Amino acid sequence: MSSSLTPQRPGMHARQISSSSFAEEFNAARSKLGDLTFDDSDTELGSGSDSAGGSPSLSSSDTEGACCSPALSDNTPPSPVSPITTPLTPITDPDVADNFAFAFDIDGVLIRGGRPIPEAIEAMKVLNGENEFGIKVPYIFLTNGGGKFEKERCEDLSQQLEIEVSPGQFICGHTPMREFADRYGTVLVVGGEGETCRAVAEGYGFRDVITPGDILKANAATAPFRKLTESERSASRDLLARGGRLSDIVVEAVFVFADSRDWASDLQIMLDIAQSRGGRLETRSATFTEGPPIYFSHNDVLWSSAHEHARLGMGALRKMVETVFEDTSGGRRLRTHAFGKPQVSTFEFATRLLQQWRAAQHGLAESEPPATVYFVGDTPESDIRGTNAMNDKSRHTEWYSLLVKTGVYQAGTEPKYKPRKLVDTVLDAVNHGIRREMAKLGSCKKTGGRLLPLDDAAMKAIAEGRTPNFVTKAGPFSDP
Ligand code: G3P
Ligand code: MG
């Protein structure tokens, strides 16, 4: 732990226990986690085939020589009973699917440019029981997006999708970064609107958060063409308030929480720190090998927003940081880290959160994972690649990847990572999954519990959106 325990300047907050209910839920879920590792020091990861059709799959061993992100410790004391584990303990709802569940990407699947994709509202209704089988299906949300407290993002999503979304079923790109709050003192947090990400980081427990705005306020020459507005200036922290110098400040790690709102100055400031002597501001390393670690909450080069065509995302900024570093440090390579999808560890964590959510919300046994998780995404490079890799790794659960045409993936093109199923919208994805499960169940019922492989007729029926004719009476999860 660095010397940042001795206060360096005003505005350094005493450590607070994070207040967001999500933090408690997250802690409870995580206290059940084994070691998590994020291993993405080199974006081009491995080539091997997976069950979904020969697309390259993820394997951590491909990053030899690259430094992996530090293991996330799970020895934090379990937090007090989280609100979604004990109080609820509902009785097992007979109409709730106990052997399958859904996990949803957000941008390009449910939301575009802040507005709900119409079929998404329908899809949620179907999952909550408005379907021909009268079943309810558990679901969680797994987005690479971020830039707000999880709780706030859930409130937005609740309004957009006209359902109640709980932090207990929601993970965003920077959620795992809270693990590092104890590990570092002074950190630079980049991205998002205004100073929101500073607040999120402090909510996670980071004690000394500075932002690019603070550095620009202290030294406007840092980015010659970037002028802080009056409100930005007043929202930024005064790093020199105690008569200190910028070079008194040592940044121990850089966290890119959300998409940058000013790539030029953020790029400049991250490069300055990457080329500094051990993170000390305003210094230059002679070897360009002393910079602190840089963590990106995800690696999406493209993402789907209001524009007709996909927009550049954080992964593009990451490439720029690494490329410009190489060009300006005599060819030295900069290894940065990325969280989020397609990292298998992100899907492993999602599995834990899903287990906890199914138990707390539906009274299902937390120890019994669902046989199948249908993951619906719009970006082959993150959603489909990650789901297929998780499917390869998971021993208990089949991770079934569904690609929609409402986001990054362009219909008629060949996705680099092949989904198990390509559908038009999230509603088609939900109907496909439910019918596939009903068909399985139907065949199971016909054979007195043995699951019959789905014959061509059944698969044809499902593909045509029809229900194969061996489904029996409504409420199939309740024993006859
Ligand atoms: O910035 C977020 C974006 O890259 C992707 O978000 O919800 O599609 O994972 P999502
Ligand atoms: Mg998406």
Side-chain angles (χ1 to χ4, degrees), residues 105-107 143-145 259 298 300 303 341 378:
D105 171 54
I106 294 182
D107 289 309
T143 173
N144 276 350
D259 289 308
H298 66 84
D300 290 349
W303 71 294
K341 299 166 287 182
D378 72 305

Side-chain angles (χ1 to χ4, degrees), residues 104-109 142-146 153 258-259 298 300-304 313-314 341 378-379 382-383 408:
F104 294 102
D105 171 54
I106 294 182
D107 289 309
V109 171
L142 181 57
T143 173
N144 276 350
R153 202 67 209 282
D259 289 308
H298 66 84
D300 290 349
V301 172
L302 292 174
W303 71 294
S304 163
M314 188 187 291
K341 299 166 287 182
D378 72 305
T379 308
S382 59
D383 302 317
V408 169

Side-chain angles (χ1 to χ4, degrees), residues 102-112 117 119-120 123 304 374-381 383-384 387 400-413 415 417-432:
F102 274 80
F104 294 102
D105 171 54
I106 294 182
D107 289 309
V109 171
L110 304 171
I111 305 290
R112 264 199 90 149
I117 291 172
E119 292 82 359
S304 163
Y374 292 91
F375 188 92
V376 189
D378 72 305
T379 308
E381 284 72 14
D383 302 317
I384 306 307
T387 307
Y400 188 104
S401 53
L402 294 120
L403 180 61
V404 297
K405 302 174 185 173
T406 51
V408 169
Y409 168 73
Q410 295 302 300
T413 62
Y417 300 93
K418 307 270 178 303
R420 290 286 292 277
K421 183 77 183 161
L422 176 62
V423 290
D424 291 346
T425 72
V426 62
L427 180 58
D428 304 318
V430 165
N431 286 333
H432 174 81

